[in-house]
């Protein structure tokens, strides 16, 4: 017999940066308010997540999974298939970025019954109410479902401004368990949605549009202070696409946090042009309020590639300015790069590497993180990528291997791909970087990395990546010395049990 319970599964996302899944906390609140119980089983912090999901499903209405494109799909398929085998009558509902961007193919998978596109707060509640009533989710905006083997898609759901959304159910998260995996006690927080720009590799406009909308500063100050204090967090990552679209709002948030005397660090994502326009005293104020890092999507230092990426709002000098301004205010500037973008050749890659060397030497403390271009469904570049020979997976499962750390492209594979991967590895070792997860490296590994930074810089300066003996040595030592990922077991992440 089913009680008023929904089981959420959050598949592992191939990173030690473990914290509570914000999408699930967001869609949980309306369910809790309507009297449903919620169980969250996050595979990153739950040793026997398979048996736990199946056990919890026994008296639940449905299984709901949140996922993005990439490796999370592997565990999603495994768990959804087992759930369907054991409980064929209980619907499997998928939400999050991948189902939002590729609803048809996702719903076509044998183990998926319902998909939710875009914002899930209201949609999931309505779906669960229908499941409870034994009815199909006919007409619920943003929802797709199967009817007699056919895929049925209701009209899309209009986007709601963030201020109209309920608060996230952070109290469901076992922050102790996340801290054991990650080494840090941190959480994500959303203060605005969407981004006014439209970079051609970016999927955001496809899900959240381009109309930036944000919470009022007072609400942000109130919620972040409370969240950090309540759960003893030392870091909040504000996951907004572009936090600094409204400078006055950012300044007002900083003033509010300073007035409250909060003590947590926070980091944001913002474009270099918006950081460059800040005045030094504004950045100092943000720092005093706890802002410790700004992550920028620099992506390339080739004018040609930036044009191809539709990043005309970002002049190269704004990257230098952003680095300089951040560092002089005591804020760590981080920059992301994409290698292998269509149109980028060896010459453009060299330009980018030279630029990185230049920035890191002029502004010690600036850091770069790299990826290989991965065309996501819904991104404006996708069609061009397909014309250039990218083969997109023909099934939901196929997307599990789409991952920007390893992607090979028709124009970047074999020895060329290997060369770029080595270059990325040398970039990683050449200068210090600070990940969110605490590094559990031994002193000897740290010393080795330090020692490799000298030859790594030489190689990057000379574009020479043959015979990577330093990398071979590092890998061999790492295999012998480093301990495996810590195993933790979460407490039951659940709402207050209601009688059922
Ligand atoms: C935080 C984050 C991460 C963190 C996640 C940490 C964690 N503990 O969860 C880390 C750093 C690990 C990460 C890694 C990656 N990420 Co990321 N990440 C984000 C980010 C910035 C915020 C996600 C978030 O929590 N948002 C807040 C919540 C509330 O919003 P939401 O997820 O959209 O949820 C809403 C709906 O989607 C829906 N919903 C969500 N879940 C569910 C579930 C159900 C059942 C229902 C009904 C609805 C529903 O309702 C929610 C409320 O409205 C987004 C960008 C963004 N703007 O969202 C990128 C983003 C999700 N990441 C992305 C990518 C590409 C990656 C990486 C591949 C990057 C990399 N280079 O390695 C990896 C992949 C990780 C993996 N899965 O294997 C892409 C995903 C694109 C795609 N097609 O899926 C995004 C969209 C960024 C982008 N624009 O390109 N990421
Ligand atoms: S600036 Fe960032 S969030 Fe905005 S469109 Fe470009 S990549 Fe996407």
């Amino acid at each position: 017999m089913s009680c008023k319970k929904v089981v959420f599964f959050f598949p592992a996302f191939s990173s030690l940066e473990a914290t509570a899944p914000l999408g699930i906390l967001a869609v949980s609140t309306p369910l809790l308010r309507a009297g449903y119980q919620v169980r969250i089983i996050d595979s990153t912090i739950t040793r026997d997540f398979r048996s736990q999901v199946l056990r919890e499903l026994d008296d639940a209405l449905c299984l709901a999974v949140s996922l993005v494109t990439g490796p999370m799909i592997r565990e999603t398929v495994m768990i959804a298939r087992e759930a369907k085998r054991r409980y064929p009558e209980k619907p499997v509902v998928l939400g999050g970025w991948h189902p939002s961007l590729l609803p048809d193919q996702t719903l076509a998978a044998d183990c998926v019954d319902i998909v939710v596109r875009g914002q899930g707060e209201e949609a999931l509640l309505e779906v669960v109410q229908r499941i409870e009533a034994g009815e199909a989710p006919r007409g619920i905006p943003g929802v797709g479902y199967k009817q007699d083997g056919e895929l049925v898609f209701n009209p899309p759901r209009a986007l709601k401004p963030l201020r109209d959304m309920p608060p996230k159910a952070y109290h469901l998260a076992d922050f102790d368990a996340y801290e054991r995996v990650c080494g840090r006690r941190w959480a994500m927080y959303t203060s605005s949605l969407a981004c006014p720009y439209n970079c051609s590799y970016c999927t955001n406009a496809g899900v959240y549009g381009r109309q930036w909308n944000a919470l009022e500063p007072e609400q942000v100050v109130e919620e972040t202070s409370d969240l950090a204090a309540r759960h003893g967090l030392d870091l909040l990552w504000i996951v907004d696409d572009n936090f600094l679209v409204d400078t006055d709002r950012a300044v007002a948030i900083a003033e509010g946090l300073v007035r409250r005397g909060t003590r947590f660090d926070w980091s944001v994502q913002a474009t270099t042009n918006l950081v460059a326009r800040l005045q030094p005293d504004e950045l100092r104020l943000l720092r005093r309020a706890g802002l410790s890092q700004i992550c920028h999507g620099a992506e390339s230092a080739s004018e040609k590639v930036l044009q191809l990426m539709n990043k005309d709002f970002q002049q190269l000098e704004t990257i230098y300015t952003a680095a300089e301004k951040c560092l002089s205010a005591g804020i760590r500037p981080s920059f992301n790069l994409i290698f292998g973008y269509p149109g980028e050749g060896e010459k453009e890659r060299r330009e980018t590497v030279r630029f990185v060397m230049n920035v890191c030497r002029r502004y010690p403390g600036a850091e770069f993180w790299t990826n290989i271009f991965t065309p996501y469904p819904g991104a404006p570049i996708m069609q061009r990528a397909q014309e250039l020979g990218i083969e997109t997976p023909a099934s939901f499962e196929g997307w599990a291997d789409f991952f920007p750390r390893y992607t090979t492209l028709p124009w970047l594979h074999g020895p060329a791909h290997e060369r770029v991967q080595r270059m990325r590895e040398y970039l990683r070792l050449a200068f210090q970087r600070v990940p969110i997860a605490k590094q559990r490296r031994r002193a000897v590994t740290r010393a080795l990395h330090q020692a490799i930074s000298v030859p790594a810089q030489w190689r990057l300066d000379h574009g020479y990546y043959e015979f990577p003996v330093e990398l071979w040595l590092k890998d061999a030592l790492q295999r012998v010395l480093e301990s495996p990922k810590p195993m933790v077991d979460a407490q039951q992440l659940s709402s207050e049990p209601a009688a059922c």
Side-chain angles (χ1 to χ4, degrees):
M1 200 195 73
S2 293
C3 72
K4 284 172 76 88
K5 178 164 108 181
V6 174
V7 178
F8 283 101
F9 176 61
F10 191 56
F13 50 77
S14 308
S15 159
L16 279 182
E17 305 197 327
T19 187
L22 206 48
I24 291 182
L25 301 188
V27 299
S28 291
T29 303
L31 292 172
L32 295 174
R33 286 181 175 174
Y36 291 96
Q37 280 186 65
V38 166
R39 295 275 188 274
I40 303 175
I41 295 152
D42 179 338
S43 106
T44 301
I45 55 167
T46 315
R47 214 183 282 254
D48 62 341
F49 63 90
R50 289 164 74 161
S51 47
Q52 280 215 30
V53 169
L54 294 176
R55 205 167 43 241
E56 291 292 348
L57 258 183
D58 199 48
D59 60 352
L61 290 165
C62 62
L63 173 67
V65 186
S66 172
L67 66 151
V68 304
T69 310
M72 287 176 115
I73 290 175
R74 216 161 283 131
E75 279 183 4
T76 302
V77 170
M78 180 193 60
I79 286 290
R81 287 219 173 115
E82 290 201 20
K84 290 306 300 177
R85 243 193 317 272
R86 181 83 71 89
Y87 306 103
E89 78 292 356
K90 303 205 183 204
V92 171
V93 186
L94 263 49
W97 283 81
H98 189 78
S100 297
L101 293 166
L102 265 189
D104 307 58
Q105 195 192 58
T106 309
L107 184 58
D110 56 0
C111 54
V112 180
D113 300 299
I114 299 175
V115 290
V116 174
R117 303 167 68 177
Q119 290 173 315
E121 284 88 341
E122 290 170 1
L124 184 62
L125 174 61
E126 290 168 34
V127 165
V128 169
Q129 285 167 336
R130 294 287 181 86
I131 293 172
E132 193 184 12
E135 294 168 8
R138 187 173 307 111
I140 302 177
V143 171
Y145 61 104
K146 283 178 181 149
Q147 177 116 46
D148 306 324
E150 295 289 309
L151 310 188
V152 181
F153 286 96
N154 299 332
R157 181 174 286 269
L159 273 170
K160 270 203 159 179
L162 190 56
R163 64 172 179 281
D164 294 342
M165 288 301 181
K168 278 121 187 129
Y170 284 101
H171 65 283
L172 298 182
D174 182 353
F175 285 108
D176 293 340
Y178 290 114
E179 187 181 358
R180 288 199 290 279
V181 174
C182 176
R184 276 197 95 165
R185 203 172 173 88
W186 70 286
M188 300 184 289
Y189 177 83
T190 310
S191 91
S192 72
L193 281 183
C195 171
Y197 304 124
N198 197 21
C199 302
S200 49
Y201 56 85
C202 181
T203 50
N204 288 5
V207 174
Y208 286 119
R210 292 176 64 191
Q211 181 64 50
W212 190 76
N213 72 90
L215 300 178
E216 291 299 320
E218 298 72 29
Q219 184 176 351
V220 178
V221 171
E222 178 68 37
E223 287 182 352
T224 53
S225 316
D226 180 67
L227 178 61
R230 195 178 291 268
H231 300 287
L233 306 174
D234 60 8
L235 173 73
L236 285 185
W237 175 17
I238 301 197
V239 294
D240 305 12
D241 295 325
N242 206 343
F243 178 79
L244 290 171
V245 170
D246 179 346
T247 306
D248 293 344
R249 188 190 80 116
V251 166
I253 291 172
E255 283 168 349
L257 291 173
V258 168
R259 256 197 313 277
R260 281 205 171 214
T262 49
R263 300 176 71 85
F264 59 90
D265 277 352
W266 45 292
S267 63
V268 299
Q269 313 188 112
T271 43
T272 55
N273 57 327
L274 301 185
V275 176
R277 77 179 179 182
L278 290 177
Q279 298 304 313
D281 59 325
E282 290 170 334
L283 275 156
R284 279 196 298 271
L285 171 68
L286 285 157
R287 178 68 200 109
R288 261 193 295 138
L291 180 64
S292 56
Q293 180 190 21
I294 301 183
C295 309
H296 314 76
E299 315 307 3
S300 173
S302 149
E303 298 281 8
K304 175 185 148 195
V305 175
L306 288 174
Q307 290 262 322
L308 291 168
M309 291 176 166
N310 197 27
K311 287 184 87 79
D312 52 357
F313 57 88
Q314 175 183 277
Q315 306 306 312
L316 271 186
E317 56 278 12
T318 60
I319 303 180
Y320 286 105
T321 315
E324 184 175 352
K325 283 189 165 179
C326 283
L327 285 166
S328 48
I331 296 168
R332 181 157 42 94
S334 303
F335 300 95
N336 287 321
L337 294 174
I338 296 174
F339 287 115
Y341 200 75
E344 180 199 73
E346 190 52 32
K347 173 177 166 288
E348 289 76 23
R349 267 196 288 284
R350 291 284 311 135
E351 275 177 61
T352 301
V353 171
R354 265 198 292 273
F355 180 83
V356 172
M357 304 303 283
N358 209 351
V359 172
C360 289
R361 283 178 177 139
R362 267 168 74 178
Y363 304 110
E367 58 181 30
F368 283 84
W369 300 80
T370 70
N371 276 303
I372 293 193
F373 169 64
T374 306
Y376 285 102
I381 189 67
M382 193 57 174
Q383 198 186 332
R384 175 85 188 113
Q386 279 170 329
E387 286 161 12
L388 288 170
I390 287 276
E391 279 180 37
T392 51
S395 70
F396 173 49
E397 278 176 273
W399 290 95
D401 296 324
F402 250 63
F403 200 41
R405 278 182 223 162
Y406 314 113
T407 317
T408 55
L409 302 158
W411 56 94
L412 188 69
H413 60 97
H417 179 258
E418 206 178 312
R419 184 179 155 82
V420 171
Q421 290 293 54
R422 280 183 198 161
M423 185 184 86
R424 293 180 58 219
E425 188 68 359
Y426 282 117
L427 276 170
R428 195 169 75 80
L429 294 163
F431 302 99
Q432 287 279 335
R433 300 189 312 191
V434 189
I436 291 184
K438 272 231 174 81
Q439 301 203 317
R440 294 181 173 84
R441 289 199 189 123
R442 289 168 189 246
V444 55
T445 320
R446 281 200 303 273
L448 181 72
H449 282 199
Q450 192 92 44
I452 294 177
S453 73
V454 178
Q457 290 190 28
W458 182 89
R459 282 178 178 272
L460 292 159
D461 282 335
H462 294 84
Y464 182 75
Y465 309 111
E466 302 305 308
F467 307 107
V469 274
E470 311 89 340
L471 301 185
W472 294 333
L473 179 66
K474 175 188 73 72
D475 291 346
L477 261 177
Q478 223 149 290
R479 268 196 299 276
V480 179
L481 293 174
E482 294 303 318
S483 47
K485 185 176 157 182
M487 285 300 290
V488 292
D489 228 351
Q491 274 177 34
Q492 185 51 258
L493 305 181
S494 66
S495 54
E496 284 299 297
C500 68

